[in-house]
Amino acid sequence: MKLFAVFQLINFPLAVFKSALCEKVASKKPIQFAMGFLLSILSNVVYSQVTFTTQTAPQRIASLNICIDQLLWELVPRERLVSISYLTADPIWSPIAEQVKGMPVNHGLAEEIVPLKPDVIFAGEFDAPTAIELLKKLNLRVERLPLPRTLGDINTQILQLAELVGTNEKAQQMVNNIDRQVAALQTVNNGKTPLTAFWYSANGVVIGDGTLEHELMQLAGLRNLAAERGMFGFNQLDLELLLSAKPQILIVERGSDDAYSLAREYLSHPALQHADFNVVTLPAGLSGCAATVISDVAAQLKNSLAK
């Protein structure tokens, strides 16, 4: 009776089992055969359920991260996004703020996410640890994506996210576009004497070794004066020291007046205005969300240096 109930639960035709059992019962002990057959059927059922789950892309997607939001915006239909970070709707921080108007936003709080019943929640490496811990305790699926630190990491992140949401073909197109732009950047100064440069950021910060910016400068054939001075990452540099280094190129990121007011104050200094170097202005966002702007940055850097 119990065995019959089990087969009912897994929706397996009892007649098929009886037929198979009758054929084998003469050569095997009935109990041993029945248990072995049952385990075989159950394992097949479990396998088919796992396979179905892994092949079904999540339809209700929530994100706590502004950079992941921007990738998802490119990769999946709008109706699959049930919540994005509030920063993505802020034009100071997000290049797609106008496009996401009206989208449900969150502030990285678990109580904002749970009622939405998402199939998956995406977060960055350092996002909302308390909220994420609670969401996991509630058995909600959370996927953390590491911060890309190299050009290779950017492609890896795009493909990883696409694998999780089921948009591999679209992601491959994005990666191919990035690869083409980077390859074009590599060739822009082939055979030319490298120009000296600083990558100048807000608060008079220059960007040294161990960064995406440094990697891009190397690809463009530039000498990163910050790296040559032993600087790693982001370092503040006095204006006097910057001028005394006599860079040929000063690279700055475009941004809103509110977000980058300090950087613009530095750039409006009379000493810089009369300095003998060229200013290359790139699209904003590389330092914050590299994966979404790297192709545009590479193209702009190539075009600026080719002049």
Side-chain angles (χ1 to χ4, degrees), residues 144-161:
R144 274 193 181 276
L145 298 182
L147 180 71
R149 293 172 170 84
T150 67
L151 287 171
D153 289 345
I154 290 173
N155 286 351
T156 298
Q157 185 187 63
I158 293 171
L159 295 174
Q160 179 186 1
L161 182 60

Side-chain angles (χ1 to χ4, degrees), residues 21-32:
L21 181 59
C22 288
E23 291 175 6
K24 297 295 183 179
V25 71
S27 58
K28 295 189 178 183
K29 293 181 181 180
I31 297 297
Q32 290 179 342

